[in-house]
Amino acid sequence: MSKLIIVGTVAFDAIETPFGKTDKILGGAATFIGLAASQFEVDGAIVSVVGGDFPKEYIDMLEDRGLDVSCLEVVENGKTFFWSGKYHNDMNTRDTLITELNVLADFKPVVPESYKDAKVVMLGNLHPLVQLRVIEQMNEKPDIVILDTMNFWMDSALDDLMKVIAKVDVITINDEEARQLTGEYSLVVAAKKIMTMGPEFVVIKKGEHGALLFFEDEIFYAPALPLKEVFDPTGAGDTFAGGFAGYLAKTEDYSFGNLKKAIIYGSALASFSVEKFGTERMINLEKEELYERIVQFKNLTQFDLSE
Ligand code: AMP
């Protein structure tokens, strides 16, 4: 089992979907990533920042899941990152209503000494310069560095984002963002173009339509499980990334074949995340449930060519 570094926001979210509305609840990219990765009982550390307004019980909950929170900085006189979004009726698209960086604006990440040799680095969504500073603090090159980002950073910090993209092995990005980043409509062409920017593997997430993994000239497709109820897609992408990174940290195999399995685990975990608002479903997820869902994924696409 490899050590895993998780970078990303630990946040308050206020979410509106066609099924309801929340006040400020626990959210953030690193939170969803950590909860998903903790399913694999990996040795994971969260590098992030919150304000004095962040409840200690949330930090305790992350610690109870086996995550190292010693580098989750608390700025007592600051406010926690806040994001608010509203989903459209199809739940596949959303508008960001508010992004308040707060303590994230001046955040200087510090990788714990004991994690500077981590083999897997999961750069969750936050400012690309913070992501870059984390890579720079590693003692040696990790076996795999995975980057997740979003249009917000393409719009506000593209030059810095390109520097990070050049240094990672895997990028996970949604279809709309892949098109924005490359100016290409075809996702096959977009993925090829992204490979020339740095990453060897490109994962393009397509919401309820699954995810594509590109490597050299190969493409693998992981479906999203068709669900009876989807309450809140927030964090699905981060949960996917956390499952992907957690599975790789557990198995220590970075071949294309194993990355295929990793995106199936990521998709299975994301399918739980959307069943309840915020992090609720992920906090209460049992290992047996994950296993059952992996079997469902297998059955969803398996067929016999010889018949
Ligand atoms: P996802 O639905 O996977 O895109 O992730 C949503 C989560 O990302 C929410 O919990 C937000 O707190 C967090 N988030 C939203 N915008 C940003 C941003 N610009 N940078 C980092 N995290 C963000």
Side-chain angles (χ1 to χ4, degrees):
M1 172 132 15
S2 298
K3 286 182 198 165
L4 167 68
I5 296 210
I6 299 163
V7 190
T9 41
V10 173
F12 287 132
D13 290 346
I15 303 156
E16 192 174 336
T17 80
F19 301 105
K21 205 174 162 174
T22 70
D23 284 330
K24 285 188 175 184
I25 57 171
L26 173 64
T31 311
F32 284 105
I33 292 170
L35 289 173
S38 71
Q39 284 294 327
F40 302 98
E41 287 167 7
V42 292
D43 188 357
I46 293 187
V47 178
S48 190
V49 65
V50 290
D53 55 350
F54 195 73
K56 184 164 179 311
E57 68 203 65
Y58 290 164
I59 300 181
D60 293 344
M61 182 278 293
L62 293 170
E63 208 168 8
D64 286 347
R65 310 290 305 198
L67 296 161
D68 186 325
V69 290
S70 56
C71 279
L72 175 56
E73 194 188 324
V74 181
V75 179
E76 287 302 342
N77 58 356
K79 280 174 72 184
T80 300
F81 175 88
F82 173 59
W83 176 80
S84 166
K86 182 175 176 181
Y87 286 85
H88 302 159
N89 275 342
D90 68 357
M91 298 276 260
N92 260 337
T93 48
R94 71 183 178 203
D95 293 325
T96 289
L97 305 178
I98 304 170
T99 302
E100 286 174 6
L101 295 181
N102 297 330
V103 286
L104 194 68
D106 303 313
F107 178 47
K108 308 265 179 305
V110 178
V111 175
E113 218 36 68
S114 56
Y115 280 85
K116 285 191 173 166
D117 59 351
K119 298 283 181 229
V120 183
V121 175
M122 177 65 238
L123 302 173
N125 203 357
L126 44 54
H127 198 295
L129 280 184
V130 175
Q131 297 174 319
L132 211 52
R133 281 210 184 99
V134 167
I135 303 178
E136 286 163 1
Q137 287 175 56
M138 302 307 289
N139 283 342
E140 54 199 59
K141 188 179 171 331
D143 284 343
I144 194 155
V145 181
I146 306 150
L147 169 71
D148 188 47
T149 189
M150 71 189 286
N151 51 0
F152 181 85
W153 302 113
M154 288 177 201
D155 296 335
S156 61
L158 185 61
D159 289 349
D160 295 327
L161 180 60
M162 293 307 285
K163 287 185 204 148
V164 188
I165 292 177
K167 287 187 184 295
V168 305
D169 304 291
V170 185
I171 184 171
T172 71
I173 191 170
N174 76 28
D175 44 2
E176 210 181 305
E177 290 155 355
R179 291 184 174 121
Q180 177 174 344
L181 186 64
T182 60
E184 298 290 347
Y185 180 79
S186 156
L187 295 179
V188 178
V189 179
K192 278 272 171 208
K193 218 166 175 177
I194 295 171
M195 283 178 198
T196 66
M197 298 171 184
E200 198 179 358
F201 297 95
V202 175
V203 178
I204 299 187
K205 300 170 284 181
K206 292 163 61 63
E208 68 168 331
H209 305 298
L212 295 162
L213 169 66
F214 295 86
F215 169 65
E216 295 178 344
D217 288 324
E218 308 225 43
I219 308 176
F220 176 71
Y221 172 63
L225 198 68
L227 295 168
K228 275 198 204 128
E229 289 178 327
V230 174
F231 272 101
D232 172 20
T234 308
D238 307 310
T239 303
F240 173 91
F244 179 83
Y247 182 76
L248 292 178
K250 182 184 166 196
T251 54
E252 298 182 312
D253 172 354
Y254 313 107
S255 63
F256 180 54
N258 203 49
L259 263 69
K260 290 182 189 177
K261 290 190 208 159
I263 76 166
I264 296 287
Y265 272 92
S267 304
L269 283 160
S271 75
F272 287 109
S273 180
V274 301
E275 287 180 347
K276 295 263 163 72
F277 271 101
T279 52
E280 194 186 335
R281 186 67 176 100
M282 294 309 292
I283 291 174
N284 298 309
L285 182 63
E286 302 287 340
K287 294 220 158 31
E288 300 71 41
E289 295 179 288
L290 175 58
Y291 178 73
E292 279 168 25
R293 203 155 275 194
I294 290 288
V295 174
Q296 276 180 280
F297 263 84
K298 195 159 180 252
N299 294 337
L300 187 64
T301 50
Q302 219 171 29
F303 63 97
D304 194 344
L305 256 189
S306 62
E307 281 173 13

